[in-house]
Amino acid sequence: LGLVRLINPAACRLLKTAEGETLGRPFAAVVRHYNLIELWQRCHAQGREQVEAVDLGSEFFVQVAVTPFQERGAAGYVVIFQDLTQVRRLQTMRRDFISNLSHELRTPLASLRAVVETLQDGALNDPPAAERFLDRMETEIDSLTQMAEELLELSRIESGQVALRLKPSDVADIVLPPVERLSTQAERYGVQLDVEIAPDLPLVLADVERMRQVVSNLVHNAIKFTPTGGSVTVRA
């Protein structure tokens, strides 16, 4: 009872073992994980299928189904592992992304509120101060716009609507448009934004729009986290 009679390569990979080391050995000795052993024991005691999500350490997260069966007088159990590691990793990344974005939203919103209240309290009648505060509002609106674009992109990715359209592309055509779009923001932050693209670069196989988004995100973050008076160089 409880001896392993058959195992496939995928299960061997998940359990970090080999077929020759498992056949004929006790299930508990093969899986070496108390949650899996308890799941099998519960199935044995109750006589019905048991399903549970199990974390196999830092490498694998699986859903396990243990199903009892009887055939021609022989009794046994079928244990099925569904590898959910990538799904869990994506869920964790999504949760962290939303959490970080929600936290970051507070800064521009609080800044915009402070600017509006200052203008309402009389700064509107001081043209130089009003112009300075309006510039600050524009900077914060840029930040909010970038966050909104990232949320929309996340939504498109999750819905499966983002398809790669690869074609031979000029590096300058990928890099220059997002850098030029962000140059005004860099100027408002007091950051020098430079571009260095070698003239003899070959074409690259890329999705131009997706790659422009990558460059835009990288340059936006570089500008955002560079102190006033600093510089950002985009080099290819």
Side-chain angles (χ1 to χ4, degrees):
L1 181 65
L3 301 181
V4 175
R5 299 300 185 189
L6 181 68
I7 187 169
N8 67 11
C12 288
R13 177 177 58 85
L14 286 170
L15 298 173
K16 296 182 180 179
T17 187
E19 183 177 3
E21 299 173 357
T22 60
L23 299 184
R25 297 187 63 203
F27 178 77
V30 171
V31 298
R32 302 188 304 277
H33 197 287
Y34 69 94
N35 280 340
L36 299 178
I37 297 169
E38 287 180 356
L39 193 64
W40 170 70
Q41 289 175 336
R42 193 159 66 242
C43 178
H44 175 65
Q46 298 180 12
R48 63 174 183 269
E49 183 182 62
Q50 302 293 318
V51 180
E52 187 174 303
V54 179
D55 193 340
L56 298 180
S58 60
E59 293 189 35
F60 296 110
F61 180 75
V62 297
Q63 178 168 282
V64 186
V66 183
T67 307
F69 74 90
Q70 285 189 339
E71 184 177 353
R72 298 177 184 175
Y77 303 88
V78 175
V79 183
I80 298 176
F81 296 88
Q82 183 181 7
D83 188 356
L84 301 179
T85 307
Q86 185 64 14
V87 173
R88 189 194 200 192
R89 185 177 295 118
L90 291 174
Q91 288 176 339
T92 300
M93 289 173 62
R94 182 181 187 277
R95 185 176 62 250
D96 291 345
F97 174 76
I98 296 296
S99 176
N100 291 337
L101 197 61
S102 299
H103 179 73
E104 287 190 29
L105 277 171
R106 298 176 185 175
T107 300
L109 288 174
S111 180
L112 284 172
R113 176 180 289 276
V115 169
V116 170
E117 290 176 349
T118 303
L119 290 171
Q120 290 174 334
D121 288 342
L124 195 59
N125 299 320
D126 182 351
E131 185 175 353
R132 189 169 64 254
F133 283 122
L134 287 174
D135 287 342
R136 177 67 181 275
M137 290 179 69
E138 193 171 13
T139 299
E140 300 300 349
I141 289 171
D142 283 342
S143 297
L144 290 172
T145 301
Q146 183 75 16
M147 293 179 196
E149 289 177 356
E150 290 174 1
L151 280 174
L152 288 172
E153 185 63 17
L154 176 64
S155 177
R156 284 193 289 267
I157 291 172
E158 291 186 329
S159 65
Q161 296 177 3
V162 179
L164 288 178
R165 296 178 176 85
L166 301 175
K167 64 178 182 180
S169 308
D170 192 319
V171 174
D173 190 40
I174 292 173
V175 174
L176 291 180
V179 171
E180 290 172 355
R181 182 175 64 83
L182 291 166
S183 61
T184 303
Q185 182 176 336
E187 185 178 342
R188 285 199 298 271
Y189 273 79
V191 173
Q192 177 69 34
L193 182 57
D194 298 314
V195 182
E196 298 176 6
I197 300 179
D200 56 348
L201 293 178
L203 298 179
V204 294
L205 187 63
D207 183 320
V208 173
E209 288 303 317
R210 299 281 81 78
M211 285 302 298
R212 283 177 179 173
Q213 285 179 317
V214 173
V215 173
S216 179
N217 286 340
L218 289 171
V219 175
H220 177 265
N221 283 338
I223 295 170
K224 180 179 178 181
F225 294 106
T226 297
T228 299
S231 64
V232 171
T233 302
V234 182
R235 183 182 295 112

